Amino acid sequence: MVKRRVALITGASKGIGRAIAIRLAQSNIDIIINYNNDLKGAEETQKQCSVYGIKSIILQGDMSKEEDVDSVFRESIDQFGKIDILVNNAGITRDGLLISMKEKNFREVIEVNLFSAFYTMKLAARIMAKNRYGRIINISSIVGIRGNPGQANYSASKAGIIGMTKSLAKELASRNIRVNAIAPGFIETDMTNKLNDKVREKLLEEIPVKYFGKAEDIGHLVNFLVSDEASYITGQVISIDGGMNI
Ligand code: NAP
């Protein structure tokens, strides 16, 4: 019997992370659901993944802390013996103009959005290189490409993810490991629900298809990028934004 692939998705208790977990489960991939605070949300993700008959586990861990990442990886290997797919999705915003931005808010965003990926990719690369197979997907953002007023910290973290993706793609290509980034535009989740109607209307004007994206749209793209059909794609940043970044 062929062993199922195993995917670790960080920040999978809601939003885009949950949609990615469910879409990969639908493709017969075992799922490791990481969350930080929202256990109920992680359990809901697991419930929706289980429908597809795969094995899934829930692992708590603050991915900005190296010791938490270490223990999530240790437990994952204990339970599954391998990690084939890593999706770095955990992310936060702490918006504000740079001129008045507190160092704490700059640091926190960089630690959760960028250091987390450094810690996870370091461990995943070792496991994947040994197995001569791996797929890493990093969730960046359109603002990592274009910048955005009020998001100097967030856009720095998302641009950093793009640089790391490209470097690691080059480092690991010969081991059959592919590393790509996804740059979503405006996707309807808790993260974007905070924005008021005026901001949303203004954003819509910038989106050629004239509607916001759904978390499921990102799930489908991740599912393609981890498939064998996408094995010749590495080091890329794929925009998924209704044309916002044209
Ligand atoms: P969300 O609904 O706010 O969900 C964020 C997820 O990240 C939650 O599951 C949360 O877990 C987890 N998380 C936060 N800090 C964490 C930490 N320290 N350790 C582990 N998990 C942590 O956000 P989303 O919209 O789905 O965003 C997901 C990713 O897409 C983020 O990287 C975001 O920057 C990116 N993105 C989103 C959009 C958009 O329009 N929504 C656009 C571009 C890029 P807990 O709730 O359990 O703490």
Side-chain angles (χ1 to χ4, degrees):
M1 200 183 76
V2 181
K3 265 185 114 184
R4 280 192 294 263
R5 300 272 189 223
V6 178
L8 164 62
I9 300 134
T10 69
S13 57
K14 57 166 82 79
I16 291 172
R18 172 183 289 165
I20 294 169
I22 295 167
R23 184 61 191 85
L24 296 186
Q26 203 181 349
S27 291
N28 199 35
I29 294 168
D30 288 336
I31 304 293
I32 302 158
I33 300 161
N34 159 253
Y35 75 101
N36 188 24
N37 296 305
D38 185 2
L39 173 60
K40 275 217 170 80
E43 286 171 345
E44 178 57 31
T45 303
Q46 185 174 44
K47 198 171 128 205
Q48 293 192 43
C49 287
S50 319
V51 173
Y52 300 103
I54 50 91
K55 176 178 168 182
S56 64
I57 59 168
I58 296 175
L59 295 177
Q60 194 280 331
D62 177 346
M63 295 292 101
S64 69
K65 299 205 165 78
E66 192 169 17
E67 60 272 24
D68 283 22
V69 175
D70 282 349
S71 76
V72 162
F73 270 73
R74 221 176 303 120
E75 187 61 29
S76 299
I77 294 299
D78 277 359
Q79 297 256 357
F80 292 99
K82 61 176 186 167
I83 294 172
D84 301 301
I85 297 162
L86 166 67
V87 184
N88 279 308
N89 167 79
I92 56 165
T93 52
R94 296 284 181 268
D95 296 352
L97 294 175
L98 184 85
I99 201 162
S100 52
M101 187 176 285
K102 293 201 164 58
E103 189 199 313
K104 177 178 173 288
N105 286 350
F106 189 85
R107 192 177 293 280
E108 205 181 334
V109 167
I110 299 291
E111 283 178 354
V112 174
N113 298 3
L114 191 57
F115 270 82
S116 61
F118 166 64
Y119 299 138
T120 58
M121 291 200 292
K122 205 169 156 177
L123 295 178
R126 284 183 197 150
I127 297 164
M128 291 172 177
K130 212 171 104 214
N131 294 337
R132 289 286 193 275
Y133 179 89
R135 300 285 181 265
I136 299 177
I137 310 293
N138 293 321
I139 308 298
S140 177
S141 166
I142 186 171
V143 310
I145 300 169
R146 304 201 314 182
N148 198 27
Q151 293 198 307
N153 48 1
Y154 183 75
S155 52
S157 72
K158 295 300 184 180
I161 275 278
I162 291 173
M164 274 210 292
T165 299
K166 292 183 180 185
S167 299
L168 204 64
K170 288 181 175 175
E171 287 182 23
L172 299 177
S174 64
R175 312 286 173 91
N176 193 26
I177 301 170
R178 307 289 174 256
V179 190
N180 289 291
I182 291 177
F186 186 106
I187 309 297
E188 302 240 43
T189 67
D190 286 0
M191 187 177 272
T192 45
N193 286 344
K194 296 180 230 165
L195 301 174
N196 65 40
D197 285 352
K198 222 173 134 202
V199 175
R200 293 165 74 90
E201 267 168 42
K202 202 150 173 289
L203 278 165
L204 261 190
E205 283 170 23
E206 273 194 72
I207 304 172
V209 301
K210 294 292 168 223
Y211 60 88
F212 298 129
K214 295 204 166 6
E216 289 74 17
D217 294 323
I218 312 298
H220 292 306
L221 179 55
V222 171
N223 184 58
F224 170 65
L225 286 174
V226 305
S227 73
D228 290 344
E229 284 83 357
S231 59
Y232 205 53
I233 302 174
T234 199
Q236 300 306 301
V237 184
I238 319 271
S239 290
I240 174 160
D241 59 9
M244 202 175 178
N245 191 34
I246 296 170

